[in-house]
């Protein structure tokens, strides 16, 4: 199920994270008076009048170098435009119209995407007069709200979701959907290309060379399987943090939409901290998980090399050690179709319905064993 995506963009410290928290109904984004504190995952779901959509908080990353400030914001807005169906352009009534606001609105106009100019921190009717200054940006309508108190956010949501489909009308795609995720340069695009048999994505040795994240359809023995390639964006400028942010957003979006996630590791670098973050998201979304160790053709094989590698990874996985692990090479196509078979098997397991009686017959004896051990421990 593909849900509409709404991105919140704007200068640092205008209240983007506060609005994000308000819309998703949780306090996930860090909110601070200091600008530029949003660094981690700010991606969630919002439901309004029977309509659900993804919401992205672009954060307010501020480079240390003042001359990179404008570049960083421009990059975040440009990438948000690529990802989103609609944009919330948030400004601050207390600051008035800022030169950077003019730059952002020019980018939005050139994009042709739907955007909503939202004036934040209008905590009372008395501040609405000051909000009128933003009509000078040439928009037909402004939305004066308070993200902190929720004032008039309902009116904004009514207009944002006006053309969104109701959740029960979104047609379910029953094809197996596989998200290929992982750190930059582990071979995500190479795997997609190898499976499809075409150069679907730009592939180089430079991390993050894939511009777009588009779904591809793999014809597999008469069955259509959707491959979601989540490779990152090209780092065209030296402001890399905003690009990395949106690469993460793409992975999170793909995980939410897929049935089975394939986490790709580089056989030469192994399991790293960023991989654990991806796994946490897969577990959070209750999706199937497979760990594919790529570039296995580059490893010098010794006795039990694969077993030792697998044991080292399983140890780091902790409670997620149930995830099947497969060694592949996207370059030589080693085991790549076994990977597809494994994805189908995992999805079959996810789809199983266990009768209540069978579940009780399995679980209740285990509960009784635990209860008996507890009673014995108390007696001692």
């Amino acid at each position: 199920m593909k849900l509409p995506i709404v991105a919140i963009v704007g200068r640092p410290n205008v209240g983007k994270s506060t609005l994000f928290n308000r819309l998703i109904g949780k306090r996930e984004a860090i909110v601070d008076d200091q600008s530029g504190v949003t660094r981690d995952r700010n991606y969630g779901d919002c439901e309004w009048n029977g309509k659900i959509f993804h919401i992205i908080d672009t954060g307010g990353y501020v480079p240390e170098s003042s001359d990179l400030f404008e570049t960083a914001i421009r990059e975040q807005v440009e990438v948000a435009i690529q990802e989103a169906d609609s944009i919330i352009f948030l400004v601050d009534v207390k600051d008035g119209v800022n030169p950077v606001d003019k730059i952002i609105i020019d980018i939005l106009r050139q994009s042709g995407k739907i955007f909503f100019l939202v004036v934040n921190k209008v905590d009372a009717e008395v501040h609405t007069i000051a909000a009128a200054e933003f009509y000078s940006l040439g928009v037909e309508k402004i939305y004066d709200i308070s993200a902190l108190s929720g004032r008039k956010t309902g009116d904004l949501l009514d207009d944002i979701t006006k053309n969104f489909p109701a959740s029960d009308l979104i047609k379910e795609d029953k094809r197996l959907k596989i998200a290929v995720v992982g750190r930059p340069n582990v071979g995500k695009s190479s795997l997609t290309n190898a499976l499809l048999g075409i150069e679907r994505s730009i592939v180089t040795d430079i991390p993050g060379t894939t511009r777009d994240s588009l779904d591809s359809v793999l014809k597999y023995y008469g069955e259509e399987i959707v491959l979601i390639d989540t490779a990152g964006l090209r780092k065209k400028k030296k402001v890399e943090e905003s690009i990395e942010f949106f690469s993460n957003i793409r992975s999170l979006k793909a995980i939410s939409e897929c049935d089975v996630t394939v986490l790709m590791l580089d056989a030469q670098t192994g399991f790293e901290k960023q991989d654990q973050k991806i796994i946490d998201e897969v577990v959070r979304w209750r999706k199937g998980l497979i760990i594919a160790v790529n570039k296995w053709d580059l490893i010098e094989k010794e006795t039990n090399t694969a077993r030792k590698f697998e044991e080292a990874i399983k140890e780091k996985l902790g409670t997620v050690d149930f995830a099947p692990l497969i060694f592949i090479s996207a370059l030589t196509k080693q085991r790549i179709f076994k990977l597809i078979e494994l994805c189908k098997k995992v999805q079959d397991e996810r789809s199983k319905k266990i009768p209540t009686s069978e579940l009780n017959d399995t679980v209740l004896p285990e509960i009784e064993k635990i209860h008996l051990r507890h009673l014995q421990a108390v007696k001692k």
Side-chain angles (χ1 to χ4, degrees):
M1 180 175 70
K2 278 190 172 294
L3 298 176
I5 298 172
V6 177
I8 307 172
V9 304
R11 293 182 295 109
N13 218 25
V14 294
K16 295 188 295 298
S17 294
T18 304
L19 180 59
F20 173 82
N21 288 339
R22 167 67 56 183
L23 295 182
I24 67 170
K26 299 175 185 175
R27 192 173 170 80
E28 285 202 7
I30 301 167
V31 179
D32 195 279
D33 290 335
Q34 179 184 354
S35 63
V37 296
T38 301
R39 300 283 173 127
D40 209 347
R41 174 178 65 83
N42 282 339
Y43 173 86
D45 291 334
C46 176
E47 182 175 3
W48 184 253
N49 288 339
K51 297 177 178 181
I52 301 175
F53 59 93
H54 293 315
I55 187 86
I56 300 172
D57 170 16
T58 60
Y61 170 62
V62 184
E64 291 179 7
S65 172
S66 59
D67 62 331
L68 290 178
F69 176 83
E70 189 177 302
T71 305
I73 293 178
R74 182 186 293 273
E75 282 198 348
Q76 286 207 354
V77 174
E78 286 174 349
V79 183
I81 287 168
Q82 289 181 34
E83 296 296 310
D85 299 297
S86 302
I87 315 283
I88 294 174
F89 174 29
L90 200 65
V91 293
D92 187 336
V93 71
K94 295 177 181 177
D95 294 341
V97 177
N98 183 287
V100 178
D101 294 334
K102 294 179 181 178
I103 293 170
I104 294 174
I105 203 162
D106 285 343
I107 297 170
L108 291 170
R109 281 205 179 93
Q110 290 168 18
S111 74
K113 286 281 180 82
I114 297 169
F115 70 91
F116 302 85
L117 179 55
V118 181
V119 185
N120 191 26
K121 305 181 185 179
V122 183
D123 300 314
E125 288 295 329
V126 70
H127 298 131
T128 55
I129 297 173
E133 177 190 351
F134 288 91
Y135 279 113
S136 66
L137 292 174
V139 294
E140 291 184 6
K141 183 175 183 179
I142 63 171
Y143 297 82
D144 53 293
I145 70 159
S146 169
L148 190 63
S149 68
R151 177 185 174 274
K152 288 193 176 182
T153 52
D155 297 339
L156 171 63
L157 286 168
D158 284 341
D159 284 359
I160 288 174
T161 60
K162 184 166 62 175
N163 296 318
F164 288 176
S167 302
D168 55 355
L169 296 179
I170 296 176
K171 189 177 178 182
E172 185 180 358
D173 186 352
K174 294 186 178 180
R175 295 175 296 181
L176 172 62
K177 291 172 285 299
I178 302 170
V180 184
V181 301
R183 288 175 283 112
N185 213 30
V186 294
K188 299 184 292 292
S189 293
S190 297
L191 175 61
T192 304
N193 291 340
L195 289 167
L196 296 171
I198 56 173
E199 285 293 313
R200 166 63 186 75
S201 307
I202 303 165
V203 180
T204 71
D205 291 332
I206 305 167
T209 51
T210 302
R211 279 188 172 276
D212 298 306
S213 171
L214 299 175
D215 297 351
S216 303
V217 178
L218 169 66
K219 301 278 188 177
Y220 188 75
Y221 293 102
E223 178 185 357
E224 285 193 352
I225 295 174
V226 179
L227 299 177
I228 308 171
D229 176 12
T230 60
L233 293 165
R234 176 170 300 163
K235 296 172 182 174
K236 359 176 227 190
K237 304 182 182 81
K238 290 185 178 179
V239 186
E240 298 183 359
E241 197 153 334
S242 58
I243 296 299
E244 184 179 342
F245 176 87
F246 276 96
S247 295
N248 293 338
I249 290 298
R250 285 185 167 177
S251 293
L252 297 169
K253 179 164 70 81
I255 290 167
S256 73
E257 293 172 354
C258 77
D259 300 305
V260 178
T261 300
V262 174
L263 170 61
M264 289 188 70
L265 305 182
D266 187 322
Q268 296 174 302
T269 56
F271 189 89
E272 297 187 0
K273 187 177 180 181
Q274 195 174 338
D275 299 316
Q276 184 60 57
K277 288 185 177 181
I278 292 173
I279 288 174
D280 291 344
E281 285 300 320
V282 176
V283 171
R284 188 173 79 90
W285 284 97
R286 297 183 175 89
K287 304 293 184 174
L289 173 65
I290 294 169
I291 297 171
V293 183
N294 190 30
K295 306 182 186 178
W296 194 241
D297 55 306
L298 302 179
I299 300 297
E300 289 187 19
K301 310 299 188 299
E302 299 175 1
T303 308
N304 297 327
T305 300
R307 184 176 60 79
K308 291 175 183 175
F309 198 101
E310 183 171 0
E311 286 175 355
I313 290 176
K314 294 278 187 183
E315 188 177 343
K316 291 182 179 179
L317 289 176
T319 56
V320 195
D321 60 358
F322 57 82
L325 189 142
I326 184 171
F327 297 91
I328 67 168
S329 169
L331 184 65
T332 66
K333 299 188 178 181
Q334 181 185 14
R335 299 191 191 91
I336 62 170
F337 290 105
K338 282 189 177 179
L339 173 61
I340 296 298
E341 288 295 333
L342 192 54
C343 288
K344 287 167 61 69
K345 184 178 179 182
V346 168
Q347 178 60 7
D348 287 343
E349 291 296 321
R350 292 182 72 237
S351 306
K352 275 186 179 176
K353 302 288 184 184
I354 301 173
T356 305
S357 58
E358 185 180 333
L359 183 65
N360 289 340
D361 290 344
T362 304
V363 174
L364 289 177
E366 297 302 318
I367 294 174
E368 287 176 10
K369 286 179 188 176
I370 293 170
H371 183 61
L372 284 172
R373 282 201 296 268
H374 177 69
L375 288 176
Q376 289 169 357
V378 170
K379 288 178 180 178
K380 287 180 181 179

